[in-house]
Amino acid sequence: MPVNSFEDYPMSWKPSIDKTKKPIYQALADQLEQDILNGVLLPGTKLPPQRELADYLDLNLSTISKAFKECVLKGLLSTSVGSGTFVSYDALSNAYLLEDAKPKHLIEMGATLPDNASFEPLFLQLKSMLQETDYEKWFSYGRAGESLWQKDAAIKLIRRGGFETTVDHILFANGGQNAMAATLASLCQPGDRIGVDQHTYPGLKTAAAMLSVKIVPIKSENNEMSPAAFEYACKNEHIKGIFLIPDYHNPTASCMSVENRRKIASIAKKYNQFIIEDATYHLHNKKPLPAIASFAPERVIHIASLSKSIAPGLRLAYVAVPSQFKELISKALYNINISVSPLLAELAARTIVSNQFEVLIERHREETIRRNQVVNRYLEDYTCLGHDAGIFRWLLLPGTITGAEFEKLAAERGVQVYAAERFVVGNSSPERAVRVAVCAPESLEELEQGLTILKCLLNDFI
């Protein structure tokens, strides 16, 4: 029996488990998961210290530790040095943002989709390729040695995004999230920890969960990852690296200053940390800022995806990899993909080398600016963070309504937006905000319809 009496002792969680079930730690982890899913334990709840819980249940401390670790790896719990263990704010969030089918009867302002300006030029380029006499090669396996000129195209696009590299550092991936998963799989072991912003890209969260990599929230200052907080995490949180979106951060739409890029890079070098730099949105800048990789090329895995700057269906990313990581990441990409599609790789390369991609990017920018002007007009009375060339905005909510509540009400009125709760990490408290995708509606008219609905809903909470 326990040494102490817990009948009147205040504990946030008093589980009751069947100790005949083996292993006991798994039974305890299962009950903890069910209590979180069923709302017995709410997000943000601080759990009892492990020693107190061990005493209460008359179990070994190691059994409690194993049960907690099981739930940490599932993203249900978050631990913080010196603070304890909490139910994660994102324990119940749906990290898979793109629905299986387009939402019916909803104006789509949730998914971060660019406008359709690229479709016809890409179609014409593809049509030309398929009329060539040796067109069948686009439907075979691609081989790395056959893609040297395509790597030259990758260099050109990455340079346009603010980073100078060379062909011997370039790898191909089937999209940005594919590259992130391969990087985590090759550089991390189950249970390893990486740092991220307090709100971050859900695709990174799902990849980390799949690989049992723990993501640790790092505090922000002025909507940017704090270099001081990053250094603290290096010293105290046992992280191996960080994931960053420095331009048009998803979801908060912020851009990291050049000074902070330089500081983050310097800290990574000092503490031997790797950085995964998601450059998905770099090309949205008229004059791109220097990539973080330009300040620490030996520490940064720079991922330049084409989905948001050219077309979502162009599932290709160019990855600039430091020499020390190249073999590991190359093997991971091969084991995941074998190869990227020769058809898409050739289509992307021709679009870049012909400078057609500059035309496409400019078309996207013009349409995005036009749409953001509409957003600014409709939501001028509210704080809607972001930039005129960004394809989504971060809408801070009035009153006391939460992002999750607002998302639900907006959907009931016919508009899909995504709440901060979908993006929050660990024990970070979600902002009262929603992400609003500016370019997802199929037309300006549909965008205005959606904004009219959102404005009326916001007015209810003033």
Side-chain angles (χ1 to χ4, degrees), residues 8 23 29 47 63 76 78 100 124 155 157 176 180 231 280 282-283 317 330 337 358 378 437 458:
D8 300 316
L47 292 182
T63 301
L76 299 171
S78 179
D100 290 340
L124 294 175
I155 296 299
L157 182 128
M180 294 172 205
E231 185 158 21
T280 297
H282 282 209
L283 296 178
S330 178
N337 304 320
E358 292 281 13
Y378 274 83
L458 288 165

Short mmCIF file of all heavy atoms in Angstrom, two decimals, residues 8 23 29 47 63 76 78 100 124 155 157 176 180 231 280 282-283 317 330 337 358 378 437 458:
data_model
loop_
_atom_site.label_atom_id
_atom_site.label_comp_id
_atom_site.label_asym_id
_atom_site.label_seq_id
_atom_site.Cartn_x
_atom_site.Cartn_y
_atom_site.Cartn_z
N ASP A 8 -7.49 12.82 0.79
CA ASP A 8 -7.80 14.25 0.80
C ASP A 8 -6.71 15.08 0.15
O ASP A 8 -6.75 16.31 0.22
CB ASP A 8 -8.02 14.73 2.24
CG ASP A 8 -9.18 13.99 2.92
OD1 ASP A 8 -10.22 13.82 2.27
OD2 ASP A 8 -9.01 13.59 4.08
N PRO A 23 1.83 -5.08 -19.94
CA PRO A 23 2.62 -4.38 -18.93
C PRO A 23 1.82 -3.26 -18.28
O PRO A 23 0.97 -2.63 -18.93
CB PRO A 23 3.80 -3.83 -19.73
CG PRO A 23 3.28 -3.67 -21.12
CD PRO A 23 2.27 -4.76 -21.32
N ALA A 29 -0.67 4.21 -19.45
CA ALA A 29 -0.62 5.12 -20.60
C ALA A 29 -1.94 5.12 -21.35
O ALA A 29 -2.42 6.17 -21.80
CB ALA A 29 0.52 4.72 -21.54
N LEU A 47 0.00 17.62 -14.63
CA LEU A 47 -0.14 16.30 -14.01
C LEU A 47 0.64 16.24 -12.70
O LEU A 47 1.58 17.02 -12.49
CB LEU A 47 0.36 15.22 -14.96
CG LEU A 47 -0.48 15.00 -16.23
CD1 LEU A 47 0.09 13.86 -17.04
CD2 LEU A 47 -1.93 14.70 -15.89
N THR A 63 7.94 2.82 -13.83
CA THR A 63 6.68 2.48 -14.51
C THR A 63 5.94 3.75 -14.90
O THR A 63 5.41 3.87 -16.02
CB THR A 63 5.80 1.62 -13.60
OG1 THR A 63 6.50 0.42 -13.26
CG2 THR A 63 4.49 1.25 -14.29
N LEU A 76 0.56 13.72 -26.64
CA LEU A 76 -0.52 13.98 -25.68
C LEU A 76 -0.04 14.79 -24.49
O LEU A 76 -0.81 15.54 -23.89
CB LEU A 76 -1.11 12.66 -25.19
CG LEU A 76 -1.74 11.76 -26.26
CD1 LEU A 76 -2.08 10.40 -25.67
CD2 LEU A 76 -2.99 12.43 -26.82
N SER A 78 3.28 17.17 -22.68
CA SER A 78 4.45 17.99 -22.95
C SER A 78 5.20 18.21 -21.65
O SER A 78 4.58 18.51 -20.62
CB SER A 78 4.03 19.33 -23.56
OG SER A 78 5.15 20.16 -23.81
N ASP A 100 -10.06 15.32 -47.10
CA ASP A 100 -10.06 14.30 -48.15
C ASP A 100 -10.79 14.78 -49.40
O ASP A 100 -10.45 14.41 -50.52
CB ASP A 100 -10.74 13.02 -47.64
CG ASP A 100 -9.90 12.31 -46.59
OD1 ASP A 100 -8.68 12.58 -46.54
OD2 ASP A 100 -10.45 11.50 -45.82
N LEU A 124 0.78 24.04 -71.00
CA LEU A 124 1.41 24.20 -72.31
C LEU A 124 2.82 23.62 -72.32
O LEU A 124 3.25 22.99 -73.30
CB LEU A 124 1.45 25.68 -72.69
CG LEU A 124 0.07 26.34 -72.91
CD1 LEU A 124 0.21 27.84 -73.15
CD2 LEU A 124 -0.67 25.67 -74.07
N ILE A 155 19.51 25.24 -58.44
CA ILE A 155 20.41 26.30 -57.96
C ILE A 155 19.82 27.67 -58.30
O ILE A 155 19.83 28.60 -57.49
CB ILE A 155 21.80 26.15 -58.58
CG1 ILE A 155 22.46 24.84 -58.13
CG2 ILE A 155 22.69 27.34 -58.24
CD1 ILE A 155 22.66 24.73 -56.66
N LEU A 157 16.67 28.53 -58.81
CA LEU A 157 15.49 28.84 -58.00
C LEU A 157 15.88 29.15 -56.56
O LEU A 157 15.35 30.09 -55.96
CB LEU A 157 14.50 27.68 -58.05
CG LEU A 157 13.21 27.93 -57.28
CD1 LEU A 157 11.98 27.67 -58.15
CD2 LEU A 157 13.13 27.08 -56.03
N GLY A 176 7.82 19.45 -49.99
CA GLY A 176 8.49 19.92 -48.78
C GLY A 176 8.30 19.02 -47.59
O GLY A 176 9.25 18.74 -46.84
N MET A 180 11.03 17.08 -45.20
CA MET A 180 11.09 17.21 -43.74
C MET A 180 11.11 15.83 -43.07
O MET A 180 11.89 15.57 -42.15
CB MET A 180 9.89 18.00 -43.22
CG MET A 180 9.87 19.44 -43.64
SD MET A 180 8.28 20.19 -43.17
CE MET A 180 8.19 21.51 -44.39
N GLU A 231 18.70 29.58 -27.43
CA GLU A 231 19.93 29.23 -26.72
C GLU A 231 19.61 28.53 -25.40
O GLU A 231 20.29 27.58 -25.01
CB GLU A 231 20.78 30.48 -26.47
CG GLU A 231 22.13 30.17 -25.85
CD GLU A 231 23.16 31.25 -26.07
OE1 GLU A 231 22.77 32.41 -26.35
OE2 GLU A 231 24.37 30.95 -25.97
N THR A 280 9.42 27.41 -48.24
CA THR A 280 8.24 27.32 -49.09
C THR A 280 7.79 28.69 -49.59
O THR A 280 7.36 28.84 -50.73
CB THR A 280 7.08 26.65 -48.33
OG1 THR A 280 7.46 25.32 -48.01
CG2 THR A 280 5.82 26.61 -49.16
N HIS A 282 9.65 31.68 -49.53
CA HIS A 282 10.71 32.66 -49.81
C HIS A 282 10.45 33.43 -51.10
O HIS A 282 10.72 34.63 -51.19
CB HIS A 282 12.07 31.95 -49.91
CG HIS A 282 12.66 31.61 -48.58
ND1 HIS A 282 14.02 31.52 -48.36
CD2 HIS A 282 12.08 31.34 -47.39
CE1 HIS A 282 14.24 31.20 -47.10
NE2 HIS A 282 13.08 31.08 -46.49
N LEU A 283 9.93 32.75 -52.13
CA LEU A 283 9.77 33.39 -53.43
C LEU A 283 8.61 34.39 -53.46
O LEU A 283 8.45 35.11 -54.44
CB LEU A 283 9.55 32.33 -54.51
CG LEU A 283 10.73 31.38 -54.75
CD1 LEU A 283 10.39 30.35 -55.81
CD2 LEU A 283 11.99 32.14 -55.15
N ALA A 317 10.41 19.29 -54.36
CA ALA A 317 11.18 20.22 -53.53
C ALA A 317 12.65 20.01 -53.80
O ALA A 317 13.11 18.87 -53.99
CB ALA A 317 10.87 20.03 -52.05
N SER A 330 20.12 11.56 -48.19
CA SER A 330 19.96 10.95 -49.51
C SER A 330 19.44 9.52 -49.39
O SER A 330 18.53 9.11 -50.13
CB SER A 330 21.31 10.96 -50.25
OG SER A 330 21.18 10.34 -51.51
N ASN A 337 11.24 7.25 -51.28
CA ASN A 337 10.74 7.56 -52.63
C ASN A 337 11.26 6.68 -53.75
O ASN A 337 10.61 6.57 -54.79
CB ASN A 337 11.15 9.01 -53.00
CG ASN A 337 10.68 10.03 -52.01
OD1 ASN A 337 9.58 9.94 -51.50
ND2 ASN A 337 11.52 11.01 -51.73
N GLU A 358 9.47 32.97 -63.29
CA GLU A 358 9.41 34.37 -62.86
C GLU A 358 8.07 34.99 -63.24
O GLU A 358 7.48 35.76 -62.48
CB GLU A 358 10.56 35.17 -63.49
CG GLU A 358 11.94 34.80 -62.99
CD GLU A 358 12.26 35.43 -61.63
OE1 GLU A 358 11.33 35.94 -60.96
OE2 GLU A 358 13.44 35.37 -61.22
N TYR A 378 -12.14 44.84 -45.82
CA TYR A 378 -13.21 44.21 -45.03
C TYR A 378 -12.86 44.10 -43.55
O TYR A 378 -13.75 44.21 -42.69
CB TYR A 378 -13.51 42.81 -45.58
CG TYR A 378 -14.51 42.80 -46.72
CD1 TYR A 378 -14.10 43.05 -48.02
CD2 TYR A 378 -15.86 42.55 -46.50
CE1 TYR A 378 -15.00 43.05 -49.08
CE2 TYR A 378 -16.77 42.54 -47.54
CZ TYR A 378 -16.33 42.80 -48.84
OH TYR A 378 -17.24 42.81 -49.87
N ALA A 437 -6.93 31.88 -45.20
CA ALA A 437 -6.25 31.72 -46.48
C ALA A 437 -6.86 32.68 -47.50
O ALA A 437 -8.04 32.60 -47.83
CB ALA A 437 -6.37 30.28 -46.97
N LEU A 458 -17.41 38.45 -36.59
CA LEU A 458 -16.53 39.20 -35.70
C LEU A 458 -17.29 40.30 -34.98
O LEU A 458 -17.05 40.56 -33.79
CB LEU A 458 -15.37 39.80 -36.51
CG LEU A 458 -14.30 38.83 -37.02
CD1 LEU A 458 -13.45 39.49 -38.09
CD2 LEU A 458 -13.43 38.34 -35.88
#
